[in-house]
Amino acid sequence: MPDVLIVDGYNLLYNWPELARLKEASFDHARDKLIRELSNYQAYWGGRVIIVFDAHKVPGATEKRERVGEVEVIYSREGETADAVIEKLVGNINIKGQVYVATSDQAEQRIILGKGALRIPVRELRVYVEQARQEMNRVGQDDAPTGRLDTRIHQAARQILERWRRR
């Protein structure tokens, strides 16, 4: 089973300068952009990504879970912080890989370390995400099609077509 990255969503949102500026205009847009960024990172990294947002101050909020691509997004219920959800996840997750938690909250880092997870400061995760984006862009440019059909179809399909041509 792959590694798991659990992200304190609002903690990352407030500590990512581009997203922090964006949230001033539209909080929802900034949150959606963060989810997209981590979804792209998940595709590059290959592990499981869980983003936790707290709704502990939202009257009547119930816990909500959704999938965005391969990323799981959890919104806590009223009165429950993202930290509490993350602590439960770390304590209950059953994987053979490593669990990482991205947060800058010092108290939370100590708790998750005590439960066997490793911490990633949000600034460090932001660097990983940006490096992954640059690498994906570089690879995408290297693999740009030349305009020929044989460069745009999968190798297995190309071999089948070649066998048919030779009959």
Side-chain angles (χ1 to χ4, degrees), residues 74-91:
I74 302 172
Y75 299 90
S76 73
R77 68 185 192 301
E78 179 184 9
E80 184 177 45
T81 64
D83 291 349
V85 174
I86 291 168
E87 290 166 22
K88 278 194 262 182
L89 285 170
V90 170

Side-chain angles (χ1 to χ4, degrees), residues 19-138:
L19 297 175
R21 284 188 302 274
L22 185 59
K23 78 174 175 49
E24 299 303 323
S26 171
F27 198 84
D28 290 341
H29 185 64
R31 184 178 55 225
D32 291 345
K33 182 167 176 58
L34 172 64
I35 293 169
R36 280 192 314 274
E37 289 285 348
L38 290 175
S39 182
N40 288 336
Y41 179 71
Q42 183 282 326
Y44 174 83
W45 176 56
R48 181 175 164 202
V49 175
I50 303 170
I51 308 170
V52 180
F53 294 104
D54 64 36
H56 77 284
K57 293 182 180 178
V58 178
T62 59
E63 184 176 294
K64 177 181 165 190
R65 292 173 180 248
E66 63 184 24
R67 290 200 76 73
V68 178
E70 293 297 315
V71 172
E72 182 178 359
V73 181
I74 302 172
Y75 299 90
S76 73
R77 68 185 192 301
E78 179 184 9
E80 184 177 45
T81 64
D83 291 349
V85 174
I86 291 168
E87 290 166 22
K88 278 194 262 182
L89 285 170
V90 170
N92 296 332
I93 204 158
N94 186 15
I95 65 162
K96 292 182 181 175
Q98 181 63 55
V99 176
Y100 300 93
V101 176
T103 183
S104 289
D105 182 318
Q106 294 294 321
E108 182 67 9
Q109 289 177 2
R110 283 193 294 276
I111 291 169
I112 59 104
L113 286 169
K115 292 183 180 235
L118 298 178
R119 70 174 180 87
I120 299 177
V122 293
R123 276 183 264 151
E124 190 173 323
L125 177 59
R126 191 180 89 230
V127 169
Y128 293 155
V129 170
E130 290 172 352
Q131 287 174 341
R133 184 184 326 127
Q134 290 171 359
E135 177 67 13
M136 287 185 289
N137 287 339
R138 188 191 62 74

